[in-house]
Amino acid sequence: MKKILVIDYDQSSLQALQKVLTQEGFEVVLAGDGQAGWEKFQSEKPDLVLMEAMLSKIHGFELCDRITKDPVSKTPVFIMTGVYKDRVYRTEALRTYGASEYFEKPLDMPKFMASIHGLLTVPDIKPGPEAEPSNGGPTNGREPVPVVKPAPEAPRRAEPPVEPKPPKPEPPRPRVATESYGGGGGGLSLEPILNVHPQPKAKPAADVKARKDEELRVEALLNDIAAAAEERHRPEPPKTARPISTVQKETEAKLQEHTRKDHQAEDIDKLLKTTLADFGLEGEKKKPVPPAAPATKREKRFGSK
C-alpha cells in the first residue's frame, strides 16, 4: 500500500483529503505545520507528499525544497494552495523548488486524483508461461497456439527502363563571315556586327500598295495643314498713303464750304434787319425793369402799410 503525507494548516482540508485518499486505497499520514511535516517525512518515509504552500514554522516552498533535494528518498511533492494563485508562484514552485504538480484551491478532484494515481498506481505486468511446442496434442491441458507464417511476397513486376529523352535541337545560328576588316589575316571582323538582325521578309504587293496610298493621304493632309497655317500667318498688305496734294485739295474744299455757309448766314442776317426796318421795329427797345428792393425785417414782422 502506498503512503501519502498530507501537510495543511486547515484541519477540515486534512480530514476531507484523508477520507478521499483512504477510500482510494492509500495509507494517509497527517501534519498541521511545516515543522511537523518535516519530522513526519523523516520518520514515515512516504511515497508522496501533498502540502499547502502557506505553512507556519517552515514555509511550504522551503519545505518542498528540502524534501525534493533529499538524495535518498527522491519523494515527489504536490503543492496545493489557496493563497499563491499567480502564474509566477506556479513557475517558481515547479522550476526552483522542484515540485511535481501545482494545484489551486478549490481542488479539481478528478484531475487531482488522476495525477496521484498516475504517479503511484503503476500496474505490475508479469510475463505469462510460454507454451511449449507439441506434436499436435495438448500440453498441460492447454491447446497449442498456432503459429501463423507470413505469406510469401509476390514477385515484383520489372518495370521497363525509362529511355532518356533526346535533347531538343538548338535553333540555327546566323552564319558569320570569315572576312575581316582591312583584308585577310587575323583582323577584327565587322560581319557579326552588321548581320546581327536577319533580313526582313518581302511583303505582299497588296500591303505595299495600301501602305503607299496611306502615305499619299497623310502627305496631302499635311500639305493642307501647312497651307492653312501659312494663310493664317500671312501679314496684311500695308495701306497706301494718299499723296499730299490730294489732302490739300480736300482741306481747301472744306474751308470753301465753311466760308460759303458763313456768307449765307450773313445774307440772312441782313435780310432780317432790312425787313424789321421796313416795319419800324428796329429802333424800339424794351426798357429795363429795375429789380424790387428786398423787404426789411420790420416789414416782414408787421407787414407793409
Side-chain angles (χ1 to χ4, degrees):
M1 182 180 293
K2 300 293 183 178
K3 185 184 296 185
I4 299 176
L5 171 62
V6 182
I7 309 170
D8 200 331
Y9 65 88
D10 188 1
Q11 294 297 322
S12 60
S13 297
L14 286 176
Q15 299 299 327
L17 286 175
Q18 183 181 18
K19 181 178 179 180
V20 173
L21 294 174
T22 303
Q23 291 176 355
E24 294 292 328
F26 298 108
E27 181 181 353
V28 181
V29 180
L30 303 179
D33 56 65
Q35 183 63 38
W38 174 244
E39 294 173 357
K40 290 288 182 69
F41 171 76
Q42 291 179 328
S43 61
E44 297 291 339
K45 305 296 181 183
D47 299 298
L48 175 64
V49 178
L50 308 178
M51 68 166 61
E52 163 68 46
M54 178 63 70
L55 294 175
S56 59
K57 297 182 181 179
I58 300 177
H59 195 273
F61 288 160
E62 182 182 352
L63 181 58
C64 177
D65 187 58
R66 288 187 187 182
I67 294 173
T68 54
K69 287 183 178 180
D70 189 353
V72 179
S73 62
K74 297 181 180 181
T75 305
V77 178
F78 286 5
I79 291 181
M80 15 172 227
T81 179
V83 179
Y84 301 103
K85 294 186 177 184
D86 196 278
R87 186 180 296 272
V88 177
Y89 300 113
R90 174 186 178 86
T91 304
E92 187 177 2
L94 295 176
R95 295 184 180 181
T96 306
Y97 300 112
S100 300
E101 293 289 349
Y102 194 92
F103 296 96
E104 296 180 1
K105 293 181 180 179
L107 297 173
D108 185 358
M109 292 306 296
K111 184 177 180 181
F112 183 67
M113 295 306 300
S115 299
I116 294 174
H117 281 290
L119 183 65
L120 299 181
T121 308
V122 180
D124 296 332
I125 302 175
K126 298 180 180 179
E130 297 182 358
E132 298 179 358
S134 60
N135 297 327
T139 304
N140 296 330
R142 297 181 181 178
E143 295 182 358
V145 179
V147 178
V148 179
K149 296 182 180 181
E153 295 182 358
R156 297 181 179 180
R157 185 175 60 180
E159 297 180 357
V162 180
E163 297 181 359
K165 296 182 180 180
K168 295 181 179 180
E170 296 182 359
R173 297 181 180 179
R175 298 178 62 186
V176 180
T178 57
E179 296 180 359
S180 60
Y181 176 75
L188 178 62
S189 176
L190 298 178
E191 194 68 20
I193 301 174
L194 298 177
N195 293 336
V196 172
H197 301 287
Q199 295 293 335
K201 295 181 181 181
K203 296 183 178 179
D207 296 345
V208 174
K209 185 178 179 181
R211 185 173 181 181
K212 286 184 178 180
D213 295 341
E214 185 68 20
E215 290 178 357
L216 292 174
R217 190 177 65 82
V218 172
E219 185 177 358
L221 182 60
L222 292 176
N223 291 335
D224 294 342
I225 294 173
E230 185 178 358
E231 183 69 23
R232 184 181 300 174
H233 295 86
R234 181 179 298 174
E236 296 181 357
K239 296 181 180 180
T240 57
R242 292 183 295 175
I244 299 176
S245 60
T246 305
V247 176
Q248 289 179 354
K249 289 180 181 180
E250 290 179 357
T251 304
E252 290 177 358
K254 289 181 180 180
L255 289 175
Q256 291 177 1
E257 181 69 22
H258 285 297
T259 303
R260 187 176 60 80
K261 289 181 179 181
D262 292 340
H263 287 313
Q264 290 178 358
E266 289 178 0
D267 294 341
I268 293 170
D269 193 14
K270 288 179 180 181
L271 180 61
L272 289 173
K273 286 181 179 181
T274 303
T275 305
L276 291 174
D278 292 339
F279 287 99
L281 298 175
E282 183 181 4
E284 293 182 4
K285 294 182 179 180
K286 293 181 180 182
K287 294 180 181 181
V289 179
T296 60
K297 294 181 178 180
R298 187 175 181 180
E299 290 176 353
K300 290 181 179 180
R301 185 174 183 182
F302 297 100
S304 60
K305 294 181 180 181

